[in-house]
């Protein structure tokens, strides 16, 4: 007897194809926005030019982004979502600050889907965000949204009320602030030996600095007579 021919693999569902196509379109728009902002500057870059560079219509742009700044910084939002997904997946018993630090580390060293710092031009774009108010404002909105989600994740880990209990916000603001400080130093060219491949080490040094300072600032225990 001859073995029956195996059934052909099912074709991807239409919804999956649409999602992949939407992701490709969004990525093309984000790439175009990043390229044009760095080539022309933010004032000379229009949404129409971004859409034309990505070979889509102005209407398609508006389905994905509210403005050119959001488009250029889409990689920041995407990777912030990745950090939060990694934080959510950390072991339940892990202290929240350590969990956030390890989530960031996993994001930075992921060999399959490299973090945005490994992509060309990103260092220049982050440096530009420091000097362009509209781009900086967009960056801040993305950062705040990501931290709000991190606070909800940490609150759930602690079984705490994320609104009334100060611990989730304190942990996230401290942990995210350390990451932001390292990224800004890297983008500005501080520690010039810290290229993309060494950013993870720079972030680790920044977290070490925080934990050292926290330990040094801990109040001495006292006993009442």
């Amino acid at each position: 007897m001859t073995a029956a021919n195996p059934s052909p693999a099912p074709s991807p569902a239409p919804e999956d194809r649409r999602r992949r196509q939407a992701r490709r379109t969004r990525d093309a728009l984000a790439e175009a926005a990043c390229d044009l902002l760095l080539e022309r500057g933010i004032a000379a870059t229009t949404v129409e030019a971004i859409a034309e560079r990505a070979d889509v219509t102005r209407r398609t742009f508006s389905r994905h982004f509210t403005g050119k700044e959001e488009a250029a910084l889409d990689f920041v939002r995407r990777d912030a979502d990745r950090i939060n997904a990694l934080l959510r997946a950390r072991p339940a018993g892990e202290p929240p600050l350590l969990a956030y630090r390890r989530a960031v580390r996993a994001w930075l060293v992921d060999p399959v889907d490299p973090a945005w710092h490994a992509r060309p031009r990103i260092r220049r774009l982050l440096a530009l965000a420091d000097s362009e108010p509209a781009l900086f404002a967009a960056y801040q909105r993305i950062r705040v949204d990501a931290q709000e989600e991190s606070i909800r994740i940490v609150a759930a880990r602690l079984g705490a009320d994320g609104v009334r209990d100060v611990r989730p916000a304190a942990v996230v603001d401290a942990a995210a602030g350390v990451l932001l400080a390292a990224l800004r130093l890297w983008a500005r060219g501080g520690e010039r030996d810290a290229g993309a491949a060494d950013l993870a080490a720079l972030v680790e040094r920044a977290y070490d600095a925080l934990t050292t300072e926290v330990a040094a600032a801990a109040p001495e225990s006292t006993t009442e007579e």
Side-chain angles (χ1 to χ4, degrees):
M1 294 179 61
T2 57
N5 291 330
S7 300
S11 58
E15 181 62 28
D16 291 338
R17 289 198 297 271
R18 284 193 293 269
R19 189 177 295 113
R20 287 199 300 272
Q21 180 58 45
R23 181 72 255 176
R24 285 194 292 268
T25 300
R26 187 180 180 95
D27 287 347
L29 285 164
E31 285 287 332
C34 180
D35 288 345
L36 287 170
L37 257 66
L38 292 175
E39 290 170 12
R40 304 179 183 179
I42 192 167
T45 298
T46 65
V47 167
E48 288 75 16
I50 294 170
E52 183 178 356
R53 176 72 66 93
D55 197 23
V56 299
T57 64
R58 172 67 169 79
R59 187 175 182 179
T60 297
F61 178 96
S62 297
R63 285 203 296 267
H64 290 276
F65 301 109
T66 60
K68 57 190 176 183
E69 297 86 4
E70 182 189 8
L73 293 170
D74 189 53
F75 67 90
V76 175
R77 184 177 297 281
R78 185 178 177 186
D79 280 1
D81 290 343
R82 289 175 61 195
I83 291 171
N84 277 330
L86 290 163
L87 175 61
R88 197 176 286 110
R90 296 302 307 171
E94 201 168 55
L97 181 58
L98 181 60
Y100 193 101
R101 178 177 181 170
R102 288 180 173 168
V104 168
R105 174 72 182 180
W107 161 66
L108 283 169
V109 301
D110 185 349
V112 177
D113 187 7
W116 51 259
H117 73 277
R119 301 168 202 161
R121 308 179 311 282
I122 295 306
R123 195 169 188 168
R124 287 175 55 206
L125 187 63
L126 285 182
L128 183 64
D130 259 355
S131 60
E132 289 285 356
L135 200 59
F136 180 77
Y139 184 83
Q140 289 296 93
R141 284 195 301 272
I142 294 169
R143 185 182 63 79
V144 168
D145 287 347
Q147 287 183 215
E148 288 296 325
E149 178 61 17
S150 298
I151 289 169
R152 287 189 285 271
I153 295 169
V154 169
R157 292 173 63 89
L158 293 173
D161 185 330
V163 176
R164 295 181 176 84
D165 192 323
V166 72
R167 292 176 298 163
V171 167
V172 169
D173 286 354
V178 168
L179 176 59
L180 179 62
L183 291 174
R184 292 182 74 183
L185 181 63
W186 176 77
R188 290 172 176 177
E191 298 205 12
R192 291 187 179 276
D193 60 331
D198 297 319
L199 178 58
L202 176 58
V203 171
E204 287 296 304
R205 291 198 296 274
Y207 277 116
D208 286 343
L210 173 67
T211 54
T212 298
E213 289 299 317
V214 167
E220 295 181 3
S221 59
T222 59
T223 56
E224 294 183 0
E225 294 293 335

